[in-house]
Structures are given as C-alpha cells and as structure tokens.
C-alpha cells in the first residue's frame, strides 16, 4: 500500500509558501524551468535571500460581494500578506536579533480593474528601498481568468514595514541594506521615505476626531450613512507575537467603508481606490477595536469615506483607548451591468462636516489632475 502524499505542512524547507489562507501549492503550478529562472532572478547578491516573491490563490464566493466582485479588503489583505513575508525574510537575513516586520503605512492604492469569483489572483512583492529602520515593498496584483487565459493588472501598491524585536515588540531593530541596480534608486527611495514619514506625522496629529451616532438622521447626510463595527481581537487575527496583522485591519476597514457607501447610494458598490493608510500604533490580542466610517465627500460618480480605527485595551486598565489606524477609501456605484451610476450628493450639515467636505474636494481635484497628467496643484 503506497504511503499517503505529504500534507502542505510537511513540505521540505526552502519552498516559498504563501501566508495562511493562500494556496500553498501556488508556486508548484509553474513549470520547473520557470521556477528555476525565477529563483535565480530573486536572489539578492548581498544577502542571498529572495528580493521578490509571488503568491496566488483562486477567488471564492466568500471573497466577493453579491454581484461577484471581489472585496477590496480581500485584495488588500493579500497584498499585506505578501509584503509581510518578504520584509520579514529580509529583516532576518543577517545574523542578529530575530524580528517580525510590522506594517506601518500603505501608500495610495488604485483598483485598476475588478476581480471576480473564479479568477486567480497573482500577488508579486519586491523590496525596493530600505532605510535604517524601515523597508519599502512594491506589490503588483494580476487577475487571471483560467478559462480564457486573460490576465489583467488590478492593483499596484507600496507598503512600508518596520522590524520589531521578538524579545520586545516595542523595540524597532535596524534593517539590513539592499543592493540597488542603479545608483539613482537609493536617492529616489530616500525621497519617498522622507515624504511618507512627514505625511504620517501630519496625519497622526489630525486624528482626534470621533464618529458620534445621531438619532433619526436625514437621507444623504453624513449621519445617515455613517457606520461602526466593533471587533474583539482574537488569536486568528494576530501574528504569532500577539499583535494584529495589518491586512486584517485593512479588510475590516474596507468592510465598514463599503457599508457606508452602500447605505448612501443603495446600489452595488466597489472600491475604486484607497488613500494612504497609516498605522499609528500596534493593536494587541485581546483589544476591542472600533472601526468607524463616515462619508466626507461625493463627486458625480464617486464617494470618499474616512475610516478610523480605535483600540481599547480592555484587559489593561493602565492604557487608554487610542487611535490605531486611519485612511480614506473611495467607492463608485455600479449598475447591474457593471456600469458607473451617478452618486447622490452628500449634504454636510455641521461646520466640521462642511470643512471635511472641502478637504475631500481638494483631494479629489488633486488626484483628478494627476490622472490627467497635469502638475499637482500648489497648496
């Protein structure tokens, strides 16, 4: 009697596996010569560790909305899983204190094409810059229709990670350097690093707002569609070291933003883009997190929703509730045929809502100018 085939957990060391929830067999679907060629390309001459990886899995019904479009949060979670794998590997590529890479920021991410149930998501991640204490990872997502062979680029994202010591997760370790193929790459990366560092600091100081419920709100107002989700952080949400995966937080943020958008326009909605997501502090196992979303701006065909994540360490009486993450999500309304629909115009009522509306309008016009190839408006 032949012995049973080995389970994925018994696979020999050295194979590239996806994070939990992804198909471990994804890499083995490639022809041997392709795997060998990819392995040679992914070898970093300085550390001899992979500088790029790819993971993939098929999209299932529980990944999508009722119309069959894959949730933006599902894609964001896969993007973060790939980024966490490659950045943690790199940060442990030299002898020294062991660490785990924690997500600090995701730059603006556009959803270029919808992904549907039955398609295969290919997520490719590559390290593009390292500072003394952070790693920049570029991620591309392709969708593949396995019936027709058609492939489309659906997402491009930039993520920033910091290495936290396994002995003390409040201690940030130094990052091993990478070797750049061009001299200009390091300088370009340094500029991106300084820009995101400044913006993260500015965003943190603006994050004092709290979303308050309103009784009997009028349709099309901010209060009418605002929504909150309360979640107790359990072991399945966390890394082995007791704090929440960034991808889990982003998925919950997208769910709340989607509820806000659906309540506002009463149609099928999809994520169009996500402005920079900033992670201000770690969320530990056992915390109760409140994810709050509110409409801030509407154009003719899009909705901007601000999402705030607050953590309440209920098992620690010494620590107060704190702001853990924040971002702006943009959604569009679609017909049953998948065509864009007009969006009901938001009616801001209070002075704060009017201020946030004007700020959202500024972000919208700035991004519209970028897409049309014009120079960025001056502040």
């Amino acid at each position: 009697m032949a012995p049973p085939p080995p389970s994925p957990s018994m696979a020999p060391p050295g194979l590239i596996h996806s994070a939990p929830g992804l198909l471990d067999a994804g890499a083995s679907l490639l022809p041997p010569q392709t795997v060998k060629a990819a392995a040679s390309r992914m070898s970093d001459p300085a550390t001899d560790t992979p500088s790029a990886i790819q993971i993939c899995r098929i999209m299932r019904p529980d990944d999508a909305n009722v119309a069959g479009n894959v949730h933006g949060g599902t894609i964001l979670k896969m993007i973060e899983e790939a980024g966490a794998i490659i950045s943690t590997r790199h940060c442990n590529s030299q002898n020294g204190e062991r660490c785990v890479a924690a997500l600090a920021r995701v730059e603006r991410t556009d959803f270029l094409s919808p992904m549907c149930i039955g398609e295969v998501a290919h997520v490719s991640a590559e390290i593009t810059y390292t500072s003394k204490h952070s790693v920049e990872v570029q991620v591309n997502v392709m969708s593949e229709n396995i019936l027709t062979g058609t492939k489309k680029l659906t997402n491009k994202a930039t993520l920033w990670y910091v290495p936290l010591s396994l002995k003390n997760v409040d201690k940030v370790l130094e990052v091993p350097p990478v070797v750049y193929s061009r001299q200009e790459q390091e300088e370009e990366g340094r500029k991106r690093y300084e820009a995101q560092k400044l913006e993260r600091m500015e965003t943190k100081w603006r994050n004092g707002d709290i979303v308050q419920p309103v009784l009997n709100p009028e349709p099309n107002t901010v209060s009418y569609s605002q929504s909150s989700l309360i979640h107790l952080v359990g072991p399945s949400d966390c890394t082995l070291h007791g704090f929440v995966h960034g991808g889990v937080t982003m998925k919950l943020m997208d769910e709340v933003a989607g509820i806000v958008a659906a309540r506002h326009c009463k149609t099928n909605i999809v994520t169009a883009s996500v402005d920079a997501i900033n992670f201000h502090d770690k969320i530990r196992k056992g915390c109760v997190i409140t994810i709050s979303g509110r409409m801030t701006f509407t154009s003719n065909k899009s909705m901007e929703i601000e999402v705030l994540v607050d953590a309440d360490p209920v098992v620690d009486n010494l620590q107060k509730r704190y702001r853990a993450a924040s971002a702006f999500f943009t959604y569009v309304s679609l017909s049953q045929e998948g065509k864009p629909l007009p969006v009901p115009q938001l009616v801001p009522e209070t002075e704060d809502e009017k201020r946030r509306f004007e700020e959202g309008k500024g972000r919208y016009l700035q991004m519209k100018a970028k897409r049309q190839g014009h120079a960025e408006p001056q502040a």
Side-chain angles (χ1 to χ4, degrees):
M1 181 175 179
S7 66
S9 62
M10 296 168 59
L15 294 181
I16 295 177
H17 289 289
S18 59
L22 302 182
L23 285 181
D24 286 339
S28 64
L29 297 176
L30 298 172
Q33 62 271 25
T34 304
V35 174
K36 189 174 181 180
S40 65
R41 289 195 303 270
M42 294 191 302
S43 180
D44 187 307
T47 61
D48 202 29
T49 59
S51 60
I53 64 168
Q54 184 180 84
I55 56 179
C56 62
R57 78 170 173 91
I58 195 166
M59 297 292 97
R60 299 185 176 91
D62 56 352
D63 294 316
N65 61 19
V66 292
N69 301 120
V70 174
H71 291 295
T74 299
I75 297 172
L76 288 171
K77 189 170 184 288
M78 289 190 294
I79 288 173
E80 198 278 328
E81 286 173 338
I85 292 170
I86 193 168
S87 53
T88 298
R89 279 179 174 171
H90 177 77
C91 292
N92 288 283
S93 61
Q94 294 183 358
N95 293 330
E97 193 172 345
R98 299 296 93 182
C99 63
V100 61
L103 183 63
R105 176 179 166 89
V106 181
E107 301 292 355
R108 179 182 173 89
T109 303
D110 290 307
F111 291 76
L112 307 173
S113 178
M115 193 179 299
C116 302
I117 295 171
E119 293 185 332
V120 173
H122 299 267
V123 185
S124 304
E126 181 180 7
I127 294 174
T128 48
Y129 177 75
T130 58
S131 69
K132 185 177 181 180
H133 295 294
S134 65
V135 181
E136 181 191 54
V137 180
Q138 299 278 357
V139 181
N140 290 335
V141 182
M142 300 283 295
S143 66
E144 177 191 5
N145 185 318
I146 53 178
L147 300 179
T148 64
T150 304
K151 292 185 178 181
K152 294 181 294 184
L153 178 67
T154 63
N155 297 82
K156 298 176 73 173
T158 302
L159 301 87
W160 293 89
Y161 289 84
V162 293
L164 305 180
S165 167
L166 296 186
K167 297 178 181 178
N168 176 10
V169 293
D170 293 319
K171 178 183 177 183
V172 179
L173 301 181
E174 292 192 12
V175 176
V178 294
V179 174
Y180 302 96
S181 58
R182 292 185 297 107
Q183 187 175 358
E184 298 82 8
Q185 284 181 321
E186 184 173 9
E187 184 58 33
E188 292 165 357
R190 185 178 294 108
K191 290 178 181 178
R192 295 192 299 270
Y193 166 75
E194 294 296 338
Q196 65 86 27
K197 186 177 178 181
L198 178 63
E199 187 173 337
R200 283 189 71 228
M201 187 62 65
E202 291 175 349
T203 304
K204 189 170 185 178
W205 288 115
R206 293 199 305 264
N207 270 339
D209 290 348
I210 298 176
V211 178
Q212 299 284 5
V214 175
L215 294 176
N216 302 317
E218 293 293 323
N220 298 337
T221 61
V222 175
S223 302
Y224 183 79
S225 59
Q226 71 181 28
S227 305
S228 294
L229 183 153
I230 298 175
H231 179 76
L232 175 63
V233 175
S236 62
D237 300 319
C238 298
T239 67
L240 296 176
H241 316 292
F243 56 87
V244 177
H245 289 285
V248 170
T249 305
M250 291 193 291
K251 191 172 188 295
L252 291 171
M253 294 172 78
D254 180 73
E255 287 179 9
V256 171
I259 292 171
V260 174
R263 280 180 167 173
H264 181 76
C265 61
K266 310 290 187 185
T267 61
N268 177 38
I269 47 86
V270 294
T271 314
S273 66
V274 184
D275 205 2
I277 304 176
N278 290 292
F279 293 83
H280 308 295
D281 209 338
K282 297 183 293 297
I283 304 172
R284 298 179 186 274
K285 182 171 60 179
C287 283
V288 172
I289 55 174
T290 303
I291 305 98
S292 304
R294 62 185 169 198
M295 193 81 64
T296 50
F297 173 75
T298 55
S299 67
N300 291 332
K301 293 185 179 180
S302 67
M303 300 161 276
E304 182 191 73
I305 296 124
E306 182 180 28
V307 182
L308 307 172
V309 181
D310 294 311
D312 187 3
V314 291
V315 296
D316 184 357
N317 295 327
L318 299 178
Q319 189 173 5
K320 297 180 180 179
R321 181 184 173 113
Y322 61 92
R323 178 63 41 81
S326 60
F328 290 97
F329 286 69
T330 299
Y331 277 76
V332 294
S333 173
L334 298 179
S335 67
Q336 292 183 346
E337 293 75 31
K339 302 295 183 181
L341 291 174
V343 171
Q345 291 305 290
L346 182 66
V347 181
E349 297 177 299
T350 67
E351 290 303 315
D352 278 346
E353 290 172 359
K354 292 175 183 177
R355 172 183 57 81
R356 285 193 291 269
F357 186 90
E358 290 302 316
E359 290 173 351
K361 183 178 180 181
R363 287 187 292 269
Y364 168 76
L365 294 175
Q366 188 178 47
M367 189 50 57
K368 188 175 180 181
K370 280 185 178 180
R371 287 176 175 171
Q372 292 174 346
H374 298 310
E376 217 174 286
Q378 296 297 314

